[in-house]
Amino acid sequence: MSGQYIGIDTSCYTTSAACAENGSIVSDKRAMLRVASGERGLRQSDGVFQHVRNLAEIVPAVMADAERANIRAVAVSVRPRPEEDSYMPVFLAGKASAYALSQGLGVRVYELSHQQGHVRAALKGNEQLMDKPFLGMHISGGTTEIFTVSDGMRIKLIGGCDDLHAGQLVDRIGVAMGMSFPSGKHMERLASQFSGELKLRLPVWVRGCRCSFSGTESAAQRLIESGACQTELAYAVYDAMARTFHKLIVNAACDTGIDCALIAGGVASSGLLRSMLTERMSKRGHIDVRFGEPALSSDNAAGIALMAEDIDCGRLEV
């Protein structure tokens, strides 16, 4: 009988736990952290409190789906990125829960990073990339980074954003237009209603593998104040992101010689952004751009659970 593996992740806005077996997800439970109306984020202390409360419900729910006697290991994201100095207090809640669960089950714990979990989740359905180096891009509310991924899920950062992250850009514009936080789904729904020729072209800034969204946001805020069409403006925000990510990927491919990129992170779950970026890459670059399953692009513990199985079965060394 094959083994099962529990993964736990406590990011800035999502509590999640999952169970994996034979490369498939047996159970996937999540709870969004609550952000007060009109606010654009949470303090870390509030996040930790909500994670502790959510884990008390989510972990038992995953365990109810799992076969307790068949669990081989528990894995948990203990930091944002796979570097020793990478730290956020919210991950302490998941770490404490993972170690308590492992002691009760009598199994070992694997400490991983949130970013590794995102990449591994995006690799589900793209497993053929695991045997070769590829470019990775992590775009979310807290991260906009481009990097190389090599054997052992080793991530080497080569670029990213110097100010706002992609998700922050979407959320700030969305909140300014009266949407609730997080604003991604509302913004995409509004943007998808736009048809015709785009006349509002927001500025973008890319130099090599570095980008900036502060100028993009400022221009969008001015358009909101001037009474611009919100449907077209929402579409223009996604157009600006697609142009930015296209340039970053092309520049990174030129620098590294790697012609395949895997896009992960919550912002990458947007069907509109995927369509825009795929179309732009097909016309203006010969690079194989891939995405993970939309449901596994947002913050989740599925990638953490899958990595635990990879490590325990000897397919991955970290």
Side-chain angles (χ1 to χ4, degrees), residues 1 33 100 113 134-135 143 170 195 229 232 244 305 316:
M1 182 180 293
L33 304 192
S113 74
F134 59 91
L135 292 172
T143 306
V170 173
S195 62
C229 172
E232 184 175 8
T244 298
L316 185 66

Side-chain angles (χ1 to χ4, degrees), residues 83-97:
E83 297 179 354
E84 287 300 322
D85 60 352
S86 180
Y87 171 76
M88 274 190 179
V90 285
F91 291 104
L92 293 175
K95 182 176 180 179
S97 181

Side-chain angles (χ1 to χ4, degrees), residues 172-181 183 224 230:
R172 290 188 179 191
I173 301 305
V175 171
M177 291 197 294
M179 300 174 188
S180 60
F181 179 96
S183 305
I224 292 172
Q230 290 196 350

Side-chain angles (χ1 to χ4, degrees), residues 28-309:
D28 179 5
K29 307 295 183 183
R30 313 178 200 181
M32 289 289 295
L33 304 192
R34 297 177 182 177
V35 179
S37 178
E39 295 293 324
R40 300 190 302 189
L42 277 175
R43 293 178 297 180
Q44 286 283 304
S45 57
D46 292 335
V48 171
F49 171 77
Q50 292 193 46
H51 280 313
V52 171
R53 181 182 59 195
N54 291 343
L55 285 166
E57 298 180 1
I58 287 177
V59 171
V62 168
M63 292 301 295
D65 294 335
E67 300 174 13
R68 184 180 297 266
N70 201 27
I71 295 173
R72 301 287 187 265
V74 176
V76 59
S77 55
V78 298
R79 56 181 62 90
R81 300 186 68 254
E83 297 179 354
E84 287 300 322
D85 60 352
S86 180
Y87 171 76
M88 274 190 179
V90 285
F91 291 104
L92 293 175
K95 182 176 180 179
S97 181
Y99 273 90
L101 181 61
S102 72
Q103 287 294 311
L105 294 170
V107 299
R108 68 173 301 171
V109 177
Y110 296 116
E111 293 189 5
L112 306 171
S113 74
H114 177 72
Q115 191 168 71
Q116 287 173 312
H118 264 301
V119 173
R120 182 60 183 90
L123 280 167
K124 191 173 186 306
N126 293 299
E127 284 86 357
Q128 63 271 32
L129 297 183
M130 295 180 71
D131 295 328
K132 65 178 184 178
F134 59 91
L135 292 172
M137 180 175 279
H138 180 186
I139 47 178
S140 68
T143 306
T144 298
E145 294 180 340
I146 190 162
F147 42 81
T148 59
V149 184
S150 56
D151 293 342
M153 201 66 73
R154 289 177 173 82
I155 294 174
K156 181 180 179 182
L157 183 66
I158 58 175
C161 196
D162 292 328
D163 40 47
L164 297 180
H165 298 301
Q168 286 179 307
L169 172 67
V170 173
D171 289 331
R172 290 188 179 191
I173 301 305
V175 171
M177 291 197 294
M179 300 174 188
S180 60
F181 179 96
S183 305
K185 291 182 179 179
H186 310 298
M187 280 282 284
E188 182 173 15
R189 188 179 303 115
L190 183 63
S192 298
Q193 297 172 14
F194 176 75
S195 62
E197 182 182 353
L198 180 65
K199 297 179 180 179
L200 299 180
R201 194 169 173 85
L202 296 172
V204 300
W205 186 93
V206 179
R207 295 291 184 276
C209 293
R210 306 300 307 179
C211 68
S212 169
F213 281 125
S214 59
T216 309
E217 188 215 352
S218 296
Q221 295 284 7
R222 288 193 295 269
L223 287 168
I224 292 172
E225 293 172 2
S226 69
C229 172
Q230 290 196 350
T231 302
E232 184 175 8
L233 179 55
Y235 189 91
V237 170
Y238 283 85
D239 172 71
M241 289 194 294
R243 286 187 283 130
T244 298
F245 300 147
H246 168 260
K247 290 181 179 180
L248 284 176
I249 293 169
V250 169
N251 292 346
C254 289
D255 289 348
T256 63
I258 300 174
D259 62 359
C260 182
L262 181 68
I263 317 298
V267 176
S269 66
S270 164
L272 178 60
L273 180 62
R274 290 178 180 223
S275 175
M276 286 180 165
L277 186 55
T278 299
E279 181 180 4
R280 187 168 289 272
M281 293 301 304
S282 67
K283 293 180 178 179
R284 306 183 185 180
H286 303 286
I287 301 168
D288 181 13
V289 175
R290 304 190 183 197
F291 298 88
E293 297 176 12
L296 294 181
S297 293
S298 57
D299 288 356
N300 65 84
I304 297 296
L306 289 168
M307 275 193 72
E309 183 174 31

